[in-house]
Amino acid sequence: MRILLADDETDAVHPIFRTLIKAGFQVDLVHDGLELLKLWETLRHPLVISDINMPGKDGVDACAEIRQREPATKIILMSGSPESLERARLNNFKLRLSKPFDQETILSYIRQALGH
């Protein structure tokens, strides 16, 4: 399965990227919300994992656009900010990860998103 991973913080995203690759996923990595939308439009990833606070367009806004265009796309939002996670909740994003988290947590959220 192909996953689109978006995060502007290099130190935070590389361990997630490595975890997903090790788990057997194909992962495309972008660093802001505008890149997220552009690549998703091209490849239509079935699962998007996005940081909330990014330049250009934040993860909540970008993923809301994706959800509007393709409601079947699974979305996991993540942030180290409780306020950002609350904003995601208020926008009806059910899968929200509080940073930092461990490898098993991200894999558990992916299983939950995919219904496994």
Side-chain angles (χ1 to χ4, degrees), residues 2-100:
R2 194 169 204 144
I3 295 175
L4 179 51
L5 176 62
D7 197 322
D8 62 319
E9 296 178 22
T10 304
D11 292 343
V13 76
H14 282 286
I16 300 167
F17 181 84
R18 285 191 302 271
T19 296
L20 298 177
I21 294 294
K22 187 177 176 181
F25 295 104
Q26 292 179 319
V27 183
D28 294 305
L29 180 61
V30 296
H31 300 289
D32 68 50
L34 296 174
E35 290 177 353
L36 169 68
L37 285 172
K38 184 177 179 181
L39 190 56
W40 181 85
E41 247 333 294
T42 302
L43 298 175
R44 299 288 174 140
H45 300 79
L47 176 61
V48 174
I49 302 172
S50 178
D51 186 32
I52 294 174
N53 299 311
M54 295 186 294
K57 184 179 282 269
D58 76 19
V60 172
D61 291 341
C63 289
E65 285 188 40
I66 290 170
R67 184 171 59 186
Q68 185 176 29
R69 293 180 194 171
E70 181 54 64
T73 300
K74 307 302 183 196
I75 296 171
I76 299 171
L77 290 173
M78 55 187 178
S79 179
S81 162
E83 295 82 14
S84 295
L85 292 168
E86 177 62 11
R87 183 167 162 253
R89 186 191 69 77
L90 292 172
N91 281 276
N92 294 318
F93 287 101
K94 296 183 182 1
L95 295 174
R96 301 174 307 275
L97 268 168
S98 180
K99 290 180 180 179

Side-chain angles (χ1 to χ4, degrees), residues 92-110:
N92 294 318
F93 287 101
K94 296 183 182 1
L95 295 174
R96 301 174 307 275
L97 268 168
S98 180
K99 290 180 180 179
F101 49 82
D102 60 28
Q103 293 178 2
E104 187 49 44
T105 300
I106 188 68
L107 295 175
S108 173
Y109 269 67
I110 291 169

